[in-house]
Amino acid sequence: MKLWGGRFTKATDKLVEEYTASIQFDQQLWKEDITGSLAHVAMLGKCGIIGEEEATVIAEGLKKVAARIEAGDAEFTIANEDVHMNVEKMLLDEVGPVGGKLHTGRSRNDQVATDMHLYLRARVIELIDLTVKVQEALLEQAKANTDTILPGYTHLQRAQPVLFAHHLMAYYSMLQRDAERLMDSWKRINVLPLGAGALAGTTFPIDREFVAELLKFDAVYTNSMDAVSDRDFIIEFLSHASLLMAHLSRLSEEMILWMSNEFNFVELDDAFCTGSSIMPQKKNPDVAELVRGKTGRVYGNLIGMLTVLKGLPLAYNKDMQEDKEGMFDTVATLHGALSLFAPMIRTMKVKKENMRQAVAEDFSNATDLADYLVGKGMPFRQAHEVVGKSVLYSIEQGKYLLDLTIEEYKQFSPLFEEDIYAALDPRQVVNARNVLGGTAKNQVEIQLAQAETQLKSSQLWVENHYSKIDVSLI
Ligand code: ARG
């Protein structure tokens, strides 16, 4: 017998039962579901909507159900459709017909939304926590590489030399924005839908603020129709998650390139690579490749959810049940990527000498040659032309800029003097970019110091928020 079976004269078709059920995936919400129910029943008792003793019996029953599920002693069934009805059925088995009073003044529509808010607010804190750990690993590597110079690229062509610390801190900054975006979104997740009923509110004199207080929500939804129809808190999460994955994917791509024989700039630790079944020499950066690959499914989940929602009239529609798998999958994908990234970065071996060698064998100091002429009064556009000619000449001679003699330089401009060699030295080239946000060592050190402060404040946010959601009703 279905909990909603009254108006039906026939059993549900087996295929329909399977097709419409969500228990296969929403069973992971059982703790959130029971927590929400415990707050709801406490409120029903307090407001005199059901008897105080009845509320106690139901609460005790719910706790027993929780213990049974925890112990692996409860069976979720497709016949009971979703986590809400499975739990309610288990409650009825535990306490008898009085358990039927639990659903007074609520609907599965506000119930499921509440479960999702409870679930996501906790996961988002964990994911921010993990993002901060990746930032810490980046900062640690950056600190160990404030003297490591490598070519910086544009168009994947060597452009200007940069500190490896500077390069790593670019990713740190991207992840900082990701963390801040997630922190900001948290305010919109920590809002209580319960009390919205099916869509219009309820005829019972409920106390939504009391429920919010018990569940430690900062606010309640102002509009009942919005409360049960809103999935933008999920879409916002999927969107921030997509961007975070985009950043990890770009870093993955660079690690894969850097680890190739062609670059040979870093070596990822054996513990984070795998081998080939046929080629004995292979050591593949599989983790980085998979993070890059799994970015696709996170984008897919975002586009999927945006599409599910776009044509839905208010309020609840069964389509909305499609909000779960993509969200669970995104949480798991992010969790995996972030957890692996921190130790992978921390244990990455940086081949400083190869990086230095690369800079010695390129023209990434050409801009500095032009800037040198500008310093002597030549308009930049003209200096660009002169240096272009010098580069072409060097290539023809099989030389780099530091190999040209002063006589050779003078063919291109009388303004060149002996001090040109000092200006072209890679360390000088890097340190000359001494502007806010530039790659000069002292500017990078400013970034590193700022990062320390930022990370402390993120850690504090995480700590505060873990305690903000510390609800132990079960
Ligand atoms: N399993 C449903 C979901 O995930 C719960 C809400 C069902 N509500 C309803 N009126 N059928 O969305």
Side-chain angles (χ1 to χ4, degrees), residues 103 105-113 193-203 223-229 231 314-317 320:
H103 211 53
R106 95 178 167 181
S107 150
R108 271 187 297 159
N109 298 349
D110 55 348
Q111 188 181 353
V112 70
L194 204 65
L199 74 163
T202 170
T203 54
N223 181 301
S224 63
M225 294 182 82
D226 179 39
V228 290
S229 305
R231 294 294 180 274
L314 297 185
Y316 180 84
N317 301 269
M320 288 168 142

Side-chain angles (χ1 to χ4, degrees), residues 331-342:
V331 167
T333 305
L334 240 58
H335 202 281
L338 292 166
S339 305
L340 282 167
F341 242 78

Side-chain angles (χ1 to χ4, degrees), residues 2 11-21 78-79:
K2 303 276 186 220
T12 318
D13 184 283
K14 271 277 160 262
L15 281 177
V16 171
E17 220 168 49
E18 269 169 40
Y19 194 70
T20 56
I78 288 201

Side-chain angles (χ1 to χ4, degrees), residues 22 26 81-82 84 108-109 112 316 318 320-321 324:
S22 53
D26 70 11
E81 195 177 324
D82 57 23
H84 324 294
R108 271 187 297 159
N109 298 349
V112 70
Y316 180 84
K318 187 76 168 184
M320 288 168 142
Q321 181 166 287
K324 289 177 194 61

